[in-house]
Amino acid sequence: MYSIIISLIVGAVIGAITQRDLGTGWGIFCAVGAMLISQIVIGLLIRRKVGKLNLQLQQIMQAAQAKINRQMQQYQMRPPGNMRLAQQNLEKLQSDAVRRTLEATREFEPWYKWNMMLKKQINTMKMQLHFQLKEFGKVDELLPKCFLLDPRSLAIKLVRLYKNNDASIDKFYDRKCKKLKGEDAALVALTYAWIKLRQDEPQKAVAALVAARKLSDNQTLIENCDRLVNGKYKHFNNAGLGDLWYSLYLEEPKIKPQRQVQQRMY
């Protein structure tokens, strides 16, 4: 907003001076040119500042990931007596890093008035971070204020529509998700299909996967599409998506307990 106001003022001043000295035509031309140049200069300055702030966020997450990796290596070298507590410790390290990142996003707020798109971009980041923390009330609050363009944001929106029993889920999928391609199409289509199966609407799940298969060669998508086309609804399985799937909190990963083999002493 501020950048537009400043550009208008600069354009008006330059245009008035030029019009007085060279005439109306040159006045209009120079006014428009001054507005464009000022917008470009301001945009570059804001982009540089925002880039530094983005780098700070990346450094927070990278430092946290390095700390988590070191802790995991320690657990591998010296297995803890209580694996559940060890897992909880790793999860706490991760959640602390996410909260520090959320806190750091406040540094962007003074720049919202300079870039009208920046607030939505940061809201999208915050929404995903709150979802990672399972703070779903804040996620629902932020979703209408986000850019829903990337596959994870779209998948999260589908999940929240499902959890809130929102009847607009089909309309949202048709409007926002059908044109995705490749891996993006696979994640969103498989999420929607899983939801439709839970809502006892297998025909919509089949239609979504058949359409997505034309735009993606993802193996999990292909396998699930074949299962549904052949009526094997109970064999539908998104485990092949790995962490992308489980991070949506619709299913827990199935970890088979390892059997301890006792060695006989001879």
Side-chain angles (χ1 to χ4, degrees):
M1 183 65 70
Y2 285 168
S3 59
I4 295 175
I5 294 173
I6 292 174
S7 298
L8 289 173
I9 293 173
V10 171
V13 171
I14 297 298
I17 295 173
T18 309
Q19 182 179 358
R20 181 193 62 191
D21 296 337
L22 300 177
T24 302
W26 277 106
I28 295 174
F29 176 80
C30 291
V32 173
M35 288 174 60
L36 291 175
I37 292 172
S38 60
Q39 279 276 37
I40 292 172
V41 172
I42 293 171
L44 290 173
L45 293 175
I46 294 173
R47 185 179 299 177
R48 181 178 297 178
K49 179 62 179 179
V50 170
K52 290 181 179 179
L53 294 176
N54 277 324
L55 181 60
Q56 292 177 12
L57 296 185
Q58 293 176 11
Q59 290 172 344
I60 291 173
M61 296 305 293
Q62 288 173 355
Q65 190 60 52
K67 187 175 182 179
I68 292 171
N69 289 340
R70 288 195 300 269
Q71 188 65 65
M72 291 178 64
Q73 289 175 359
Q74 290 180 10
Y75 288 155
Q76 290 173 355
M77 294 175 63
R78 296 182 180 179
N82 190 323
M83 290 302 299
R84 184 174 181 180
L85 288 177
Q87 181 64 32
Q88 289 176 351
N89 182 41
L90 292 174
E91 290 174 356
K92 185 178 184 303
L93 290 175
Q94 183 68 39
S95 63
D96 288 346
V98 173
R99 293 194 185 281
R100 287 198 298 273
T101 305
L102 278 169
E103 184 68 23
T105 59
R106 293 184 179 182
E107 298 294 328
F108 289 90
E109 292 177 3
W111 301 96
Y112 290 167
K113 294 179 180 179
W114 292 88
N115 185 336
M116 292 183 295
M117 309 297 285
L118 180 60
K119 187 172 184 178
K120 273 199 168 187
Q121 293 172 357
I122 300 304
N123 281 341
T124 304
M125 181 192 305
K126 290 167 63 177
M127 178 273 294
Q128 294 190 7
L129 292 172
H130 281 300
F131 188 86
Q132 188 173 343
L133 293 172
K134 298 185 179 181
E135 296 175 345
F136 300 126
K138 293 180 180 179
V139 172
D140 292 341
E141 182 181 343
L142 284 169
L143 273 170
K145 307 171 187 177
C146 295
F147 284 124
L148 299 180
L149 302 173
D150 64 285
R152 178 161 174 78
S153 295
L154 291 168
I156 289 174
K157 176 68 173 182
L158 289 172
V159 170
R160 296 311 302 154
L161 289 173
Y162 166 63
K163 292 293 185 178
N164 291 325
N165 296 315
D166 194 319
S168 67
I169 188 169
D170 295 334
K171 184 177 180 181
F172 175 80
Y173 182 80
D174 291 340
R175 182 165 49 91
K176 290 284 189 177
C177 306
K178 276 191 170 181
K179 295 181 180 180
L180 295 175
K181 298 180 181 180
E183 296 300 313
D184 296 350
L187 174 63
V188 178
L190 287 168
T191 300
Y192 177 74
W194 186 95
I195 291 171
K196 289 291 100 181
L197 290 176
R198 295 306 182 280
Q199 292 180 336
D200 199 24
E201 296 181 287
Q203 69 282 358
K204 292 183 179 179
V206 174
L209 294 196
V210 169
R213 185 173 179 176
K214 298 176 183 178
L215 303 172
S216 174
D217 58 359
N218 178 275
Q219 191 61 34
T220 303
L221 172 64
I222 293 172
E223 292 173 358
N224 276 327
C225 183
D226 291 340
R227 290 165 184 158
L228 296 192
V229 168
N230 291 308
K232 299 179 180 179
Y233 304 142
K234 292 183 179 181
H235 292 83
F236 183 91
N237 189 344
N238 279 342
L241 293 176
D243 290 340
L244 281 175
W245 170 245
Y246 295 119
S247 66
L248 295 176
Y249 305 128
L250 290 174
E251 286 186 323
E252 293 284 342
K254 297 179 180 179
I255 302 176
K256 296 181 179 180
Q258 294 182 352
R259 295 181 179 179
Q260 293 184 350
V261 180
Q262 296 182 350
Q263 294 183 350
R264 294 182 178 181
M265 302 294 294
Y266 292 97

